[in-house]
Amino acid sequence: MSEILSTISTLVIEGNFGEMVDKTNAALEEGLGAEEILNNGLMPGMDHVGVEFKAGNMFVPEVLRSAKAMQEAMEIIRPMLIESDAPTAGKVVLGTVKGDLHDIGKNLVGMMCEGAGFEIIDLGKDVEPEAFVNAVKEHKPNILGMSALLTTTMRTMERTIKALEEAGVRDTVKVMIGGAPVTQDFASQIGADGYAANAASASEMAKRFAG
Ligand code: B1M
């Protein structure tokens, strides 16, 4: 890993959001691409945070600082990730499910889909099944994307799909799900149309679904 990418990783781990803007700009000036900064600087840093958090060596306030550091960098690389010539691939309604406040991955999925030319209707985090249903009725998207990072909130995806069925709109939209604990098996089990392991494959899947 280049020195600047390793510095960016460390800034995420230390939750040093104050220096992140400068270092991200420095990486871009060195000629590194947005995806390289994301995949080889920010993500390894956040992976490390996850390991330390699980082990009880980091606590919520520290993890929040790490999340803020990552978001500072993402604000800068966002325009590069979403560069697109075709703003009309379709519509994606996106949200993190009820009870779940993790939104970094969901935001990345939104950026990559935007970059692939989709209009994104981002409902944010902690989204009730009924709010997803209302958004599908209102915006008539090609794709409904749900994110969950907790094993305890994954089940809300199933509740949302049931709510779509009950509202008579399930067949109007492709349901795509993802998030660290989510698997293809789980997606099949709850009747989702697709599971994507990361933001890049989510945007590929969205293109297939809308095509
Ligand atoms: Co939380 N947290 N957290 N946390 N947190 C995890 C998820 C955890 C795995 C940490 C651990 O123990 N190792 C663990 C979950 C355990 C479990 O359920 N199995 C956990 C826990 C326990 C908790 C709390 C319960 C802690 C507590 O309070 N005791 C609490 C819950 C709060 C709540 O949601 N109700 C909590 C809180 C938080 C913070 C608020 C402090 C913060 C979130 C800040 C924010 O998002 N704004 C936070 C963070 C940052 C994490 C870790 C460290 C990092 C998550 C992240 O942003 N990763 C995480 C550990 C880990 O995952 N390594 C952890 C980077 C992000 C780019 O990746 O989100 O996986 P990810 O997204 C990827 C893919 O999953 C995929 O694409 C993305 C990009 O490639 N993807 C999709 C995601 N959504 C998709 C949707 C798609 C397709 C693909 O289609 C629509």
Side-chain angles (χ1 to χ4, degrees):
M1 195 195 293
S2 83
E3 201 180 323
I4 190 78
L5 289 176
S6 141
T7 304
I8 286 174
S9 261
T10 305
L11 294 179
V12 173
I13 294 163
E14 292 174 347
N16 186 343
F17 48 86
E19 281 187 43
M20 189 56 102
V21 169
D22 282 354
K23 296 299 179 203
T24 306
N25 284 326
L28 291 169
E29 275 158 29
E30 274 187 26
L32 295 174
E35 291 202 25
E36 201 170 358
I37 295 172
L38 175 65
N39 293 329
N40 300 329
L42 299 169
M43 295 291 282
M46 197 48 109
D47 283 346
H48 184 89
V49 169
V51 171
E52 294 298 318
F53 189 31
K54 188 170 186 182
N57 299 327
M58 280 179 83
F59 301 96
V60 170
E62 295 164 284
V63 179
L64 275 175
R65 288 175 68 91
S66 295
K68 184 161 162 47
M70 178 147 178
Q71 269 156 353
E72 289 283 322
M74 275 166 50
E75 279 303 308
I76 297 172
I77 60 175
R78 183 173 193 276
M80 294 149 229
L81 289 175
I82 66 175
E83 241 167 41
S84 164
D85 299 328
T88 52
K91 269 191 210 172
V92 179
V93 163
L94 192 61
T96 302
V97 298
K98 173 79 191 146
D100 203 318
L101 304 177
H102 297 85
D103 65 355
I104 298 175
K106 182 265 297 168
N107 293 344
L108 265 176
V109 170
M111 283 181 207
M112 296 299 274
C113 289
E114 202 177 343
F118 285 92
E119 179 187 343
I120 309 300
I121 295 118
D122 188 344
L123 304 181
K125 51 198 172 187
D126 196 16
V127 180
E128 298 268 6
E130 296 69 28
F132 280 116
V133 170
N134 290 338
V136 167
K137 285 183 182 165
E138 183 186 341
H139 301 285
K140 303 187 176 30
N142 310 72
I143 294 133
L144 170 64
M146 288 186 275
S147 178
L149 264 286
L150 299 171
T151 43
T152 47
T153 56
M154 284 162 68
R155 282 284 155 200
T156 315
M157 292 174 158
E158 186 175 16
R159 278 177 42 213
T160 305
I161 292 174
K162 289 221 163 75
L164 290 169
E165 285 165 3
E166 282 160 19
V169 292
R170 173 65 186 91
D171 294 337
T172 68
V173 70
K174 293 282 189 192
V175 176
M176 173 170 78
I177 64 172
V182 177
T183 60
Q184 178 58 57
D185 273 358
F186 179 72
S188 310
Q189 193 191 318
I190 68 168
D193 297 297
Y195 154 74
N198 55 51
S201 35
S203 82
E204 285 303 314
M205 181 173 285
K207 281 193 264 181
R208 277 204 308 281
F209 281 159

